């Protein structure tokens, strides 16, 4: 087989990440249209990922977030996005570089993107950062509850209105996005 000096594989990954970037940027401006919502799976120990130590401990390898009913402060840059979500009624801010995203799925239209994520060994010189811990319960009570989405349960087990997380001590579960496709 001939050597691929152009690296079409890398170019295709970058182009597909651009699709996700454009969709999230539009949602940040105008909100989610119609029934669209997203499952985004990312590698928690990838360079540039910023999540609380509580979430990092619970999901040491990867986690899936749901952007649907309750989220806030979605900001999209060329390199990644940040978003506010609630996990077991605790508000969290997540910063996720697009290079850490492993999967993007919109079940309302059965649209799926899968990405290669650079192994941590390749990024040994880059540091993974943790965000400060979540606010105490007294401060949370003062904040509006109008925007706070469900965290990852298991995509296959997730039901509408189910905001409960996995049992403590369980790591992130790898679930194929094919399990969401309508059969």
């Amino acid at each position: 087989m001939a050597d691929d000096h152009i690296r079409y594989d890398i170019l295709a990954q970058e182009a597909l990440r651009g699709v996700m970037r454009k969709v999230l940027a539009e949602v940040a401006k105008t909100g989610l249209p119609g029934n669209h919502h997203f499952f985004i799976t990312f590698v928690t120990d990838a360079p540039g990922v910023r999540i609380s130590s509580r979430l990092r401990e619970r999901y040491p390898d990867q986690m899936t977030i749901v952007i649907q009913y309750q989220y806030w402060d979605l900001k999209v840059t060329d390199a990644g996005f940040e978003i506010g979500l609630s996990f077991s009624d605790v508000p969290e801010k997540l910063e996720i570089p697009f290079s850490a995203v492993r999967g993007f799925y919109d079940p309302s239209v059965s649209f799926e993107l899968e990405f290669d994520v650079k192994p941590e060994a390749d990024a040994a010189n880059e540091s993974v950062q943790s965000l400060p811990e979540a606010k105490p319960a007294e401060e949370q009570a003062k904040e509006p509850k109008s925007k706070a989405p469900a965290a990852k349960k298991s995509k296959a087990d997730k039901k509408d209105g189910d905001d409960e997380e996995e049992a403590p001590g369980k790591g992130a579960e790898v679930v194929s996005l094919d399990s969401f496709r309508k059969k």
Side-chain angles (χ1 to χ4, degrees):
M1 184 193 286
D3 290 337
D4 180 3
H5 297 286
I6 295 175
R7 294 302 310 259
Y8 287 109
D9 58 334
I10 293 172
L11 292 172
Q13 289 280 310
E14 288 175 10
L16 292 173
R17 287 183 199 280
V19 170
M20 177 179 52
R21 181 182 306 112
K22 184 172 176 118
V23 167
L24 289 176
E26 189 61 32
V27 168
K29 288 179 194 170
T30 63
L32 284 164
N35 291 324
H36 290 280
H37 57 287
F38 314 123
F39 291 92
I40 300 176
T41 301
F42 65 97
V43 177
T44 56
D45 63 354
V49 170
R50 295 190 66 197
I51 59 176
S52 70
S53 55
R54 178 180 85 94
L55 289 177
R56 187 172 309 285
E57 194 173 289
R58 181 172 232 140
Y59 305 102
D61 301 319
Q62 74 176 23
M63 72 183 291
T64 297
I65 58 173
V66 179
I67 301 176
Q68 188 169 13
Y69 299 116
Q70 299 175 330
Y71 63 91
W72 60 93
D73 295 337
L74 176 59
K75 295 178 185 132
V76 181
T77 66
D78 288 340
F81 67 99
E82 59 184 67
I83 189 166
L85 298 170
S86 180
F87 299 86
S88 298
D89 293 324
V90 177
E92 300 272 1
K93 177 183 173 188
L94 292 80
E95 294 181 21
I96 305 165
F98 291 118
S99 60
V101 174
R102 182 167 276 161
F104 176 89
Y105 181 60
D106 182 345
S108 70
V109 292
S110 295
F111 180 77
E112 172 184 355
L113 296 173
E114 290 185 23
F115 304 103
D116 295 327
V117 176
K118 180 169 60 168
E120 189 179 8
D122 291 348
N125 295 333
E126 299 182 49
S127 66
V128 177
Q129 303 170 346
S130 289
L131 292 173
E133 289 297 316
K135 298 175 186 172
E138 309 83 66
E139 291 181 36
Q140 292 174 32
K142 296 175 188 173
E143 294 184 10
K145 294 269 186 188
S146 61
K147 295 180 179 179
K152 175 182 181 331
K153 190 165 185 175
S154 150
K155 288 188 244 171
D157 296 335
K158 184 107 176 121
K159 297 176 187 163
D160 287 341
D162 188 359
D163 289 344
E164 224 173 272
E165 276 189 84
E166 288 181 344
K170 275 186 108 175
E173 183 178 337
V174 178
V175 179
S176 167
L177 291 176
D178 289 336
S179 66
F180 288 100
R181 293 184 189 230
K182 294 179 182 167
K183 297 183 182 187

